[in-house]
Amino acid sequence: MANASEHTKKRVAVIGAGASGLAAIKECLDEKDSIEVIGFEQESYLGGLWRYVEVSEENPNPHSSVYKSTIINTSKELMSYSDFAIPADWPTYLPNQKVAYYFDLYARHFNLRPQIRFETKVVEVKELKDEKNRWLVRSHPVKATSPIKIKEEIFDYVMMCSGHHWKARYPSFPGMKKNDPEPYTGIQLHSHFYREVDSYKDKNVVVVGLGNSAVDLAVELSLNQSQVYLSCRRGAWIAPRWLLGRPLDHARTRLSHLVPFFLLQLIVASLFKLVVPPHHPNLKPVRLPLSSHTTINTLLPERVTTGTVKPVKNIKNLGPGKRVEFQDGTVVEDVDVIFYCTGYHISFPVLHPDIVTDGKDGSQENRVWTWNYMVPPRHPNMAFVGLFQPLGAIMPISEMQCRFLVRTLVGKLDPLPSEQQMDKEIEARNQYIRTRYDDAARHTIQVDYASYCDSLAKRIGCMPTYGQLVSQFGLIEGTKLWTETIFGPPSPIQYRLVGPHAWEGAREAVWGYAGKQGYASSKYLQEVQEPKAVDQNKDTS
């Protein structure tokens, strides 16, 4: 017979088991007395886009977009989940295989797999509009035989964690389509479908874009004897992974947030000019740093100076044949391959589109209408996790969102603002983004890692303030820890020093990441060897 308390639990559906979905499931389990959580994952594995998957006839459009050589651009100290530190002896910047393995370790450590229904495709998430504002989730097994039997379940709350890097976004150029007069006849691919470099050896290649994927592909292809033309509409700041002997993201401390923004921009620009070779004229940024998304690649300036990567302006015309003409007058007669590194459309096909956009025009420009990057005002029992473009890693930001959402759901935080207040705050945020950044699709959901996480931490009660640190660790140790939070890199683990669900290993992990003698060998910074579950894909159906 079921326990009476089971009937009072809120049923939560988590759609997706990638970086955001794993954090959502784990945070729901932290409130297991009040929440029953079920995760839905259409693949047979967890980790989302960080799990390398081949493009094949059987799987021509995989959800994953990583290629074999992908390396994350955020240091391990700032991409770690807050209560499961990445081992200290791992590389500073992790290759995609290590990132996926870290997700495996995280899921194993917190026993998340039993809550996930693998190989289960969600086909619709529909608002019931009943008195409890519940949701209907319709799903079926991926390998179901015809006729497909749809399973319908009702949930009190839905957390959308399926990501927005799956529906490729293409530009439009004359000659791009096969039915255009005198079309381009070479290969055209979105970077989503790029996997390895050998297929393009000794080719003339055009890479369109100047984001991280575009620059990574340009460099990798050029290192494999390809001549690369890097085509972009506007320039950008190109930064190395290391700056003045430290990982680049370690320079953005909380102290830097106290500096007036314009002055900070000038300081960053001066630093870049000292350590980075001069930008090619076609790559020269038109805005100061931090007003556009910085592209991170250490090797690009060197490849440009050798001529193996040639920066050119945007494409003017494609064709006839393999001819490509650029807006700066450059013409290349024999382009074998064009890679479009032009981002993604924000799309959640299992939802009515008005839930994401609030019915407002602009979905093609990736404009969304969510309060605090999470909650659609007219649908308070729905939340999006990871629906942002971070200056930093997605994992700790998504985790902080989940901590806030779950504690709000179980009534341990103040209720959400009214619809009118949400709308007001959304409009103010969107106006700020339009003012600070280029008015482009890639910037509509831009967010700063530290300032955003700090704002959520204050609501949750886990902000490592001086008073709380001294109260928890004593005057001397508390003062030292507070100094580290201000002058050191804002590690996610700092959010587990105090507050709800504080982690006993947080102090040692913080000092270990800071390089304090004796702490790098802490048991909390070691890879824990735990027994594997007997059934790795056990579900809750």
Side-chain angles (χ1 to χ4, degrees):
M1 183 175 180
N3 190 307
S5 64
E6 295 290 324
H7 299 296
T8 63
K9 286 186 177 183
K10 293 183 181 294
R11 298 192 79 224
V12 176
V14 174
I15 314 299
S20 299
L22 293 175
I25 294 169
K26 187 266 177 185
E27 293 306 318
C28 285
L29 290 177
D30 279 352
E31 300 291 344
K32 59 185 178 181
D33 291 340
S34 303
I35 290 177
E36 175 194 352
V37 61
I38 296 175
F40 295 85
E41 172 52 59
Q42 67 179 1
E43 306 294 348
S44 60
Y45 51 83
L46 50 80
L49 64 83
W50 281 102
R51 186 76 61 178
Y52 177 81
V53 179
E54 289 280 3
V55 177
S56 62
E57 291 185 6
E58 296 76 22
N59 192 8
N61 186 18
H63 184 80
S64 172
S65 60
V66 301
Y67 35 94
K68 284 186 176 180
S69 62
T70 301
I71 298 174
I72 198 165
N73 281 323
T74 310
S75 67
K76 69 172 183 284
E77 294 86 358
L78 293 187
M79 65 159 279
S80 171
Y81 289 116
S82 62
D83 55 358
F84 190 71
I86 295 175
D89 60 354
W90 283 22
T92 300
Y93 292 99
L94 304 184
N96 66 85
Q97 299 90 342
K98 271 294 195 195
V99 176
Y101 180 51
Y102 173 62
F103 292 145
D104 289 337
L105 294 178
Y106 181 78
R108 190 172 71 189
H109 182 75
F110 292 109
N111 197 28
L112 304 184
R113 285 183 178 271
Q115 309 305 129
I116 303 171
R117 296 179 186 170
F118 290 94
E119 297 185 305
T120 300
K121 184 175 180 61
V122 173
V123 295
E124 185 180 24
V125 178
K126 182 179 181 181
E127 194 170 20
L128 291 177
K129 298 183 179 179
D130 60 7
E131 68 282 356
K132 295 182 179 179
N133 294 317
R134 295 180 300 173
W135 293 81
L136 177 69
V137 175
R138 304 176 70 240
S139 65
H140 67 78
V142 170
K143 298 179 180 179
T145 56
S146 184
I148 295 175
K149 185 177 181 181
I150 302 294
K151 185 174 184 177
E152 297 186 345
E153 299 170 89
I154 295 176
F155 291 87
D156 299 292
Y157 198 87
V158 175
M159 301 174 79
M160 291 298 302
C161 306
S162 53
H164 58 281
H165 290 103
W166 67 273
K167 186 177 181 180
R169 182 184 179 93
Y170 290 88
S172 178
F173 299 119
M176 185 175 174
K177 298 178 181 178
K178 290 182 178 180
N179 58 358
D180 285 343
E182 298 184 319
Y184 173 75
T185 57
I187 298 171
Q188 299 182 76
L189 287 173
H190 194 277
S191 58
H192 183 85
F193 304 101
Y194 174 83
R195 287 299 182 269
E196 50 84 25
V197 70
D198 290 342
S199 301
Y200 310 101
K201 186 174 182 179
D202 296 320
K203 304 289 187 182
N204 284 331
V205 181
V206 170
V207 175
V208 180
L210 198 55
N212 290 320
S213 295
V215 172
D216 285 351
L217 262 65
V219 168
E220 179 165 285
L221 290 163
S222 73
L223 290 168
N224 204 41
Q225 291 82 52
S226 291
Q227 176 60 60
V228 179
Y229 298 86
L230 182 58
S231 171
C232 58
R233 290 181 298 173
R234 59 176 71 90
W237 290 92
I238 312 295
R241 281 197 172 99
W242 290 81
L243 183 67
L244 301 179
R246 303 175 67 194
L248 178 67
D249 53 9
H250 286 205
R252 193 77 163 101
T253 66
R254 287 189 177 88
L255 180 65
S256 68
H257 287 270
L258 302 177
V259 179
F261 185 65
F262 180 70
L263 178 58
L264 181 64
Q265 289 180 300
L266 294 179
I267 293 172
V268 173
S270 299
L271 280 173
F272 281 1
K273 289 176 182 178
L274 283 174
V275 301
V276 179
H279 283 70
H280 185 280
N282 286 338
L283 300 180
K284 189 174 181 179
V286 296
R287 301 170 73 94
L288 287 170
L290 309 179
S291 287
S292 61
H293 200 91
T294 301
T295 298
I296 301 174
N297 192 286
T298 303
L299 296 179
L300 179 66
E302 184 268 336
R303 303 310 293 170
V304 170
T305 60
T306 63
T308 51
V309 173
K310 295 183 178 180
V312 290
K313 286 297 186 181
N314 203 21
I315 291 174
K316 181 179 180 180
N317 191 76
L318 299 177
K322 292 185 177 182
R323 185 179 189 273
V324 178
E325 180 182 0
F326 301 92
Q327 291 178 355
D328 61 3
T330 301
V331 176
V332 183
E333 296 291 348
D334 190 22
V335 173
D336 300 293
V337 186
I338 300 175
F339 283 108
Y340 298 108
C341 306
T342 46
Y344 295 85
H345 290 287
I346 294 175
S347 178
F348 294 88
V350 301
L351 295 174
H352 191 287
D354 285 357
I355 294 175
V356 185
T357 65
D358 202 46
K360 295 174 174 59
D361 189 28
S363 60
Q364 291 303 307
E365 290 75 39
N366 281 353
R367 305 203 184 280
V368 303
W369 197 260
T370 53
W371 175 78
N372 220 357
Y373 299 91
M374 295 179 283
V375 182
R378 257 57 71 187
H379 312 278
N381 285 347
M382 156 77 66
F384 295 90
V385 180
L387 185 53
F388 49 76
Q389 179 70 27
L391 294 175
I394 189 174
M395 284 71 86
I397 307 177
S398 291
E399 180 192 34
M400 191 63 75
Q401 287 184 326
C402 295
R403 293 180 71 181
F404 170 79
L405 291 167
V406 168
R407 290 187 66 77
T408 301
L409 177 61
V410 299
K412 294 183 178 180
L413 295 180
D414 293 335
L416 297 176
S418 65
E419 288 184 18
Q420 294 76 14
Q421 182 60 31
M422 285 188 185
D423 287 335
K424 183 178 179 180
E425 293 182 26
I426 294 169
E427 183 53 51
R429 179 198 72 198
N430 290 348
Q431 181 59 41
Y432 170 76
I433 290 175
R434 287 192 294 267
T435 301
R436 175 174 169 179
Y437 300 100
D438 294 324
D439 190 14
R442 72 176 302 197
H443 292 306
T444 58
I445 49 175
Q446 199 83 35
V447 66
D448 280 319
Y449 155 67
S451 57
Y452 179 62
C453 284
D454 279 358
S455 70
L456 291 178
K458 291 172 184 176
R459 292 174 181 266
I460 296 167
C462 62
M463 182 69 187
T465 62
Y466 181 73
Q468 282 196 301
L469 290 171
V470 168
S471 176
Q472 179 70 25
F473 298 100
L475 179 61
I476 296 176
E477 183 67 6
T479 301
K480 290 179 179 178
L481 284 167
W482 178 79
T483 302
E484 175 63 22
T485 68
I486 300 300
F487 295 95
S491 164
I493 296 169
Q494 295 170 4
Y495 297 117
R496 293 287 181 173
L497 288 167
V498 295
H501 299 294
W503 177 38
E504 63 178 2
R507 173 181 162 275
E508 291 188 24
V510 165
W511 286 134
Y513 277 172
K516 196 169 182 179
Q517 188 173 3
Y519 285 95
S521 60
S522 166
K523 65 179 181 179
Y524 301 110
L525 288 174
Q526 306 302 310
E527 183 179 326
V528 179
Q529 300 296 328
E530 302 178 45
K532 293 183 179 180
V534 174
D535 183 1
Q536 294 292 310
N537 289 344
K538 181 181 177 182
D539 64 32
T540 58
S541 56

